Amino acid sequence: MARMSEAPKPDPGTVERFRALMLPHLDAAYGFARWLTRDPVTAQDLAQEAMLRALRYFHAFRGEEAKPWLLRIVRNTWIDQRAKHGGEQPLEVVENQPSEGPDPEQSAQAGDRRRQVAKALAALPAEMREILVLREIQDLPYKQIAAVLDLPVGTVMSRLARARGRMAADLRGRLGRREHGLPDL
Amino acid sequence: MDCPTCEAMVDAYVDGELTATESADFERSIAVCPECRKRLDSARAIGGLLRDLPAEPAPDLLRARVERELRGIAGRHSGARRGERMRWMAYAASLIAAVGIGWAGGTLTGRGSGDSDAIVASYLRMAMAEHTVDVASSDRHTVKPWYAGRIDYAPAVYDLTANGFPLLGGRLDVIDGRKVAVLVYRRNQHKLAVSLWPATGADAPARVSQRDGFTVGEWRHRGFDWRAVSDVSPSEMTAFATALDRAVDSDR
């Protein structure tokens, strides 16, 4: 935090620029926070804190892609919060969160499949979870994932391969063949 | 291409990260490599399942909290303008439509400045608890007496079901240390919160404005200041104010 206080105080013009460039990515920031924290309420706190931190750092934004720039701050904020609160929230707690409203698809089977996929994703180690979310849910290309995670592109690729393998194994255990659509081993 | 090479390319291929030449090479080799074919199908299936998860956009409450922070930071330079502040408050209040806007009204009337930020912060924390009404009833004879002993005035409470605004109930809010009555109505799928407190002076017709996509109504009628926020249309807000005023009038 001490580092940040050295940053120039954002003036109204800076705030307006920030609003125009970064606020459109609030959904992405929340969505990423949602999977990092695995809790909708904690995710809101994290996303809010990250937005404020992003504003403080905004003088250092050099016109690169806004979304990965913001998501990187979300992730760093999460790492700091985790360190402060002594590690991740245990999954037993988050697994019992009530679901967020009705599933848009009426089919109960599809709803159940989605719940199982969400549980499998939530149960992955953070390192695998974050990279799958960035690729499959946030739809970022490798180069941007590398920027968010501060990794070489080659590592992004190998980590993604491992995460997919693990996710496939988990889903085979949770879902029937017809639901997961994965090839037999 | 040998299998380890094609294995290493599966993910990059699925993710569209290969050049056209690399893709063509990969497609040729995978045709003769059943193991890598399985990896490819598996990676695609995982992608399909994850992309099928329902999108979770940022909750309105989070957006309101961030907006508030940004306004606060911008305002520290320009001096907080009441309009800006009101706009945010209307926004936040209506997002959490079921809960009241008592504090917004307090600021509007300038009845003591108070620490609005602190009030708003505590309000948002409370709103996160999804606390909607303290007394849930469409019966004014249940809602009105509920306020007795809880606030220092008797609010005018009317069910407007006949006008298309059924009463859902009432709740309390604290403005500048004073408790205020907030009534919550429903309009189709929308909720409308109206706060009221005793006022002196001539009646003032409803002024309806739109802020950040939400509709705010402000008026004075028969000794009460009324402040309503909702995501209904301005004409519906006007209809609400008219219906409410008529209900008050017919009761006199």
Side-chain angles (χ1 to χ4, degrees), chain A residues 20-117:
Chain A
L21 277 167
M22 295 299 164
L23 224 47
H25 301 294
L26 181 63
D27 285 339
Y30 172 75
F32 190 36
R34 178 78 179 75
W35 283 112
L36 288 177
T37 62
R38 304 176 292 182
D39 175 77
V41 174
T42 318
Q44 289 196 40
D45 293 342
L46 170 58
Q48 180 179 4
E49 174 62 32
M51 291 304 284
L52 291 181
R53 197 186 274 205
L55 176 60
R56 277 182 238 124
Y57 279 131
F58 193 51
H59 64 280
F61 179 73
R62 293 279 172 265
E64 59 266 45
E65 285 287 337
K67 185 165 152 181
W69 186 83
L70 184 63
L71 294 186
R72 180 173 181 164
I73 292 177
V74 170
R75 181 172 178 269
N76 290 342
T77 308
W78 176 65
I79 289 169
D80 291 353
Q81 284 186 355
R82 240 185 358 165
K84 212 160 59 185
H85 299 121
E88 269 197 286
Q89 194 183 2
L91 190 58
E92 304 83 82
V93 182
V94 292
E95 280 229 39
N96 291 330
Q97 292 293 332
S99 70
E100 309 244 303
D103 201 284
E105 194 165 313
Q106 293 303 308
S107 151
Q109 199 190 359
D112 186 58
R113 187 189 66 225
R114 289 189 181 123
R115 265 189 298 280
Q116 292 300 334
V117 173

Side-chain angles (χ1 to χ4, degrees), chain B residues 60-134:
Chain B
D60 291 339
L61 182 59
L62 168 63
R63 203 169 284 280
R65 285 162 69 188
V66 171
E67 282 285 355
R68 167 175 173 249
E69 296 280 3
L70 295 184
R71 277 173 219 271
I73 290 164
R76 249 174 257 152
H77 287 261
S78 58
R81 281 164 300 169
R82 209 182 68 174
E84 283 283 306
R85 184 174 290 249
M86 174 57 203
R87 189 158 76 194
W88 177 77
M89 286 203 253
Y91 182 58
S94 47
L95 290 170
I96 311 140
V99 285
I101 54 153
W103 43 265
T107 305
L108 273 173
T109 52
R111 180 160 44 74
S113 59
D115 186 355
S116 299
D117 278 347
I119 295 164
V120 168
S122 83
Y123 169 76
L124 287 174
R125 275 197 299 278
M126 174 203 65
M128 297 231 1
E130 299 190 5
H131 181 80
T132 305
V133 288
D134 296 318

